[in-house]
Amino acid sequence: MVRQQHMSIRLNIVLLQYLMVCFVLCPVSGIIVSSPAEVHSVRGDAVTLTCTFTSTSRATSRMSVDWSYRPQTGGPPQAFFHFSSLVFPPRDGQFNGRVKWLGSPARGEASIQLLNASLSDNGTYTCSVRNPPDVHGFPTSQTVLTVTPEVLAVHFSDVAVLLAFILLPSAIITLALLGRMCCSPRDRSQAQGYQSPIEVTPGEETGFKQIHRKEKNMTCCHIYLLDSDYEDYYVHKERPPAQGETMAESQC
């Protein structure tokens, strides 16, 4: 009888020692929740508040997700979204009708989307995930949201197309005017001194021959000023004047 009592006491001591060793050395299950430290958005856009978690236990119906918001001006956090097998969106307040659930517990995602972001949404958002039996670890994570007024953005391609339509015609006109202005008065007087083919009577092409004799010494200014004379010459040469039609003298 006494021997049995001693054996029982020894077994209890060994069991107690085993439990103490297991408590110290065995790892404790835990959950880790992570989210970006900062998120930036423009007023009126849909902004995604990302939240992911890792857990040593498979997500079950007991898993829950809570989102809370603390204004930029300070104050206590305000819970506005809850998920536990079903989605419980906010029914009133500034987030009413503006929160969309993007989470997937099986993939470790607990993200939400905030629609039509406004400047009053600036603040700190906290994502909390509970997945029993994971009761230790880091079950919460915070994200600071900054919403800025809309800024008109002009793309470089749009500016390039606009400049092309405005500057290209202006450049062509400017070059044409500069080319005409660069002709010296001497070139103008020589070009005006040539006899126009219009003044040549049938059988005579003195002016035209005179032009051909001086073609080698002509500059771009001569050609520019004599274009109309050449055109008139070929027109009259191909179409002889009708009976009764007289050649008008050049007024140049």
Side-chain angles (χ1 to χ4, degrees):
M1 188 71 179
V2 176
R3 182 177 295 181
Q4 290 179 355
Q5 291 178 353
H6 284 291
M7 290 293 296
S8 178
I9 294 173
R10 288 181 180 179
L11 289 175
N12 290 333
I13 293 174
V14 171
L15 181 60
L16 182 60
Q17 291 175 349
Y18 175 78
L19 291 176
M20 293 179 62
V21 171
C22 184
F23 179 78
V24 174
L25 299 179
C26 292
V28 179
S29 298
I31 186 171
I32 299 177
V33 179
S34 60
S35 61
E38 295 182 357
V39 173
H40 296 269
S41 181
V42 177
R43 181 173 54 187
D45 287 352
V47 55
T48 299
L49 300 176
T50 304
C51 179
T52 59
F53 66 92
T54 58
S55 176
T56 56
S57 299
R58 185 175 60 89
T60 64
S61 59
R62 299 175 60 188
M63 192 212 74
S64 63
V65 178
D66 291 283
W67 278 89
S68 60
Y69 161 73
R70 184 161 56 91
Q72 191 177 32
T73 56
Q78 306 169 8
F80 65 92
F81 181 87
H82 177 74
F83 173 85
S84 180
S85 299
L86 297 176
V87 176
F88 297 91
R91 298 298 182 184
D92 53 10
Q94 69 181 80
F95 299 107
N96 182 23
R98 299 174 50 219
V99 179
K100 182 179 179 181
W101 171 247
L102 301 179
S104 176
R107 295 182 296 180
E109 296 180 0
S111 305
I112 60 173
Q113 188 177 54
L114 185 61
L115 306 177
N116 192 20
S118 63
L119 299 180
S120 61
D121 296 333
N122 290 334
T124 302
Y125 293 78
T126 302
C127 174
S128 302
V129 181
R130 294 177 179 82
N131 186 35
D134 290 355
V135 294
H136 300 282
F138 302 92
T140 62
S141 183
Q142 294 183 342
T143 297
V144 177
L145 174 63
T146 302
V147 181
T148 56
E150 184 178 2
V151 179
L152 296 177
V154 179
H155 299 285
F156 177 76
S157 58
D158 299 337
V159 176
V161 172
L162 183 62
L163 291 177
F165 275 104
I166 295 178
L167 297 181
L168 188 59
S170 301
I172 294 175
I173 296 174
T174 302
L175 290 176
L177 293 176
L178 289 176
R180 184 132 190 171
M181 293 173 61
C182 289
C183 293
S184 61
R186 181 173 175 274
D187 294 336
R188 290 178 178 271
S189 61
Q190 290 181 357
Q192 293 175 357
Y194 293 132
Q195 185 177 3
S196 174
I198 300 178
E199 300 176 358
V200 179
T201 57
E204 292 183 357
E205 298 182 357
T206 306
F208 185 67
K209 292 179 181 179
Q210 188 176 9
I211 293 173
H212 278 287
R213 285 195 302 269
K214 296 187 177 183
E215 277 183 348
K216 295 182 180 180
N217 298 327
M218 294 174 66
T219 63
C220 63
C221 292
H222 292 93
I223 298 174
Y224 177 81
L225 296 172
L226 293 177
D227 281 345
S228 59
D229 292 341
Y230 274 113
E231 292 175 1
D232 293 341
Y233 173 76
Y234 283 113
V235 170
H236 286 283
K237 184 176 181 181
E238 292 179 2
R239 183 178 61 83
Q243 293 182 358
E245 182 181 352
T246 60
M247 303 292 290
E249 290 186 358
S250 173
Q251 300 297 326
C252 299

